[in-house]
Amino acid sequence: MADINPEDMPVGDIDETTPVEMRSLRKRWFGILALVVVAAALVWAIWFFLTQMGRVSTDNAYVGAETAQVTPLIAAPVAEVRVANTQPVKRGDVLVVLDPADARIEVAQAQSALAQAEQKYRQSRATVGAAQGRVAARGSEIEQARARLRDAEATLNRARIELGRREALISSGAVSGDELTAARTAFQSAQAARDLARAGVASAEATQNAATGELQASAALVEGTTIGTAPEVLAARARLAQAKLNLERTVIRAPIDGIVTNRQIQVGQRVAAGTPIMTLVPIAAAYVDANFKEDQLAKVRPGQPVLLTSDFYGGDVEFHGRVVGFAGGTGAAFALIPAQNATGNWIKVVQRLPVRIALDPKELKEHPLRVGLSMTATVDTRGR
């Protein structure tokens, strides 16, 4: 191949770019690059302002709810269990039916005790009337005894006068000794009759006092009361009401709307009062406890909006809530064995404070959550 002489090449094929033009081109490209960097920084600043500025976030958040623990209020064998775990129930639905045989016997006994109490009250009322009659009868006896006393005193006065006359005539011989003796005997008999009449009056008065005491005692039992307000009747009615309530409690109903969880009861099992038999979880009233670091809470206030996502549904489903309040202490403060940092090699550990977040009921209805699920919570501290 023949060698090519540069002088023989066309003039237009030789790069004639000057150093000045090269510098100008570089400046132009650096300017474009600077504009791109500034634009990117501006876009990032706008994104940060719109999505991150004034917001604090944590993935240490979990779903909670005020669960209802179902416990029987009476002891009885289990006759029916009408629900199973994971089953949704409404408030008032029958969960468990206990054997009502013992409760029905208690109702019958209480009804009998009430009837006896009412009968006893009526007897007390009748006793008051009878006691009043006895008091009136004793009054008549006293009047009769006093009349006999007056008659005995009159007889005694006559006997005294007759004895005085005969004693006055004994010296003149006009009265015999037998007549004087008879007069003295009549006088002594009249004295004895008077004393006996006095004793009869005292006895009648004592009998009347006893009857009056009985009347007062009987009247005290029913004074100011009716058959509906008598203490014994009220107590018997209370026992009957308690027995009926225990009979109603043989049917255990759901106290709230929720999901049946942790069922621990079987047919035929005898349960004691207060023994937990199942738990109801109100998923429609779930909330979130978000554990924020202590240095994130300076601007967090109740009422601020919160954006939440759940690992259960993924990032495509967002929940909206509001800050309700703060816990009274960190989790470490209420631990079974609180941390004690009074040591020489103490290392500061950032603490977390639970923040209660209320969720939107409509969103919960569309996407139900379960207690214990993980959540990511972002609080907008600029909101009110």
Side-chain angles (χ1 to χ4, degrees), residues 277-359:
I277 58 176
M278 67 183 68
T279 302
L280 297 184
V281 180
I283 59 175
Y287 56 79
V288 172
D289 281 332
N291 301 299
F292 286 95
K293 296 179 181 179
E294 53 188 324
D295 55 5
Q296 294 179 302
L297 298 173
K299 296 182 179 180
V300 178
R301 301 288 184 272
Q304 291 175 343
V306 185
L307 181 65
L308 304 103
T309 58
S310 170
D311 295 346
F312 187 71
Y313 292 106
D316 295 336
V317 177
E318 294 182 342
F319 294 87
H320 298 82
R322 292 207 171 261
V323 176
V324 175
F326 304 88
T330 65
F334 296 103
L336 183 61
I337 303 178
Q340 296 294 332
N341 296 321
T343 60
N345 59 349
W346 171 73
I347 298 176
K348 180 179 180 180
V349 178
V350 177
Q351 300 297 316
R352 291 181 179 268
L353 184 69
V355 177
R356 178 65 56 86
I357 299 171
L359 300 175

Side-chain angles (χ1 to χ4, degrees), residues 28-377:
R28 188 179 302 114
W29 281 109
F30 278 123
I32 294 173
L33 180 60
L35 288 176
V36 171
V37 171
V38 171
L42 182 61
V43 171
W44 181 86
I46 294 173
W47 171 84
F48 181 82
F49 178 80
L50 294 177
T51 64
Q52 302 299 319
M53 186 176 180
R55 293 170 172 82
V56 292
S57 179
T58 182
D59 58 358
N60 189 349
Y62 304 94
V63 178
E66 300 295 340
T67 60
Q69 196 171 62
V70 180
T71 59
L73 299 179
I74 62 171
V78 178
E80 297 180 47
V81 180
R82 299 187 181 181
V83 294
N85 282 329
T86 73
Q87 179 177 337
V89 295
K90 295 291 185 180
R91 180 177 181 178
D93 288 351
V94 177
L95 305 177
V96 178
V97 178
L98 303 179
D99 188 353
D102 293 340
R104 287 173 179 167
I105 293 174
E106 291 179 359
V107 170
Q109 292 175 342
Q111 288 174 336
S112 175
L114 175 60
Q116 290 178 351
E118 291 177 345
Q119 183 181 28
K120 186 176 180 180
Y121 180 83
R122 295 188 183 95
Q123 289 177 346
S124 298
R125 278 288 185 187
T127 301
V128 171
Q132 289 175 340
R134 287 194 294 271
V135 170
R138 297 301 178 267
S140 299
E141 292 177 357
I142 290 175
E143 292 300 326
Q144 293 177 0
R146 288 175 179 173
R148 288 193 292 270
L149 176 59
R150 289 192 295 270
D151 181 66
E153 288 176 345
T155 302
L156 178 60
N157 287 333
R158 288 195 298 271
R160 182 181 294 110
I161 293 173
E162 292 295 331
L163 178 60
R165 288 178 180 175
R166 284 168 175 72
E167 287 179 344
L169 297 174
I170 191 64
S171 59
S172 62
V175 176
S176 65
D178 293 336
E179 290 180 353
L180 180 61
T181 300
R184 288 175 177 173
T185 301
F187 176 75
Q188 292 174 353
S189 297
Q191 283 182 325
R194 183 204 57 186
D195 295 339
L196 182 61
R198 285 179 178 176
V201 171
S203 176
E205 289 177 346
T207 303
Q208 186 186 43
N209 291 335
T212 302
E214 292 177 0
L215 173 61
Q216 292 174 347
S218 299
L221 295 176
V222 297
E223 184 178 2
T225 63
T226 63
I227 195 170
T229 60
E232 292 185 357
V233 175
L234 290 177
R237 288 181 177 175
R239 288 190 292 270
L240 176 59
Q242 181 64 57
K244 290 181 177 180
L245 181 60
N246 290 341
L247 180 59
E248 293 178 0
R249 286 173 173 171
T250 57
V251 179
I252 303 176
R253 300 180 181 274
I256 59 172
D257 298 348
I259 302 295
V260 177
T261 306
N262 197 25
R263 198 196 85 173
Q264 303 177 12
I265 190 172
Q266 302 296 334
V267 175
Q269 176 183 351
R270 183 174 180 84
V271 294
T275 302
I277 58 176
M278 67 183 68
T279 302
L280 297 184
V281 180
I283 59 175
Y287 56 79
V288 172
D289 281 332
N291 301 299
F292 286 95
K293 296 179 181 179
E294 53 188 324
D295 55 5
Q296 294 179 302
L297 298 173
K299 296 182 179 180
V300 178
R301 301 288 184 272
Q304 291 175 343
V306 185
L307 181 65
L308 304 103
T309 58
S310 170
D311 295 346
F312 187 71
Y313 292 106
D316 295 336
V317 177
E318 294 182 342
F319 294 87
H320 298 82
R322 292 207 171 261
V323 176
V324 175
F326 304 88
T330 65
F334 296 103
L336 183 61
I337 303 178
Q340 296 294 332
N341 296 321
T343 60
N345 59 349
W346 171 73
I347 298 176
K348 180 179 180 180
V349 178
V350 177
Q351 300 297 316
R352 291 181 179 268
L353 184 69
V355 177
R356 178 65 56 86
I357 299 171
L359 300 175
D360 187 347
K362 294 181 179 179
E363 295 178 346
L364 277 176
K365 186 176 181 180
E366 295 175 359
H367 299 91
L369 295 171
R370 296 296 187 270
V371 173
L373 292 179
S374 299
M375 302 285 287
T376 299

Side-chain angles (χ1 to χ4, degrees), residues 6-17:
E7 296 180 356
D8 297 336
M9 295 178 61
V11 177
D13 294 338
I14 301 176
D15 188 2
E16 298 179 352
T17 304

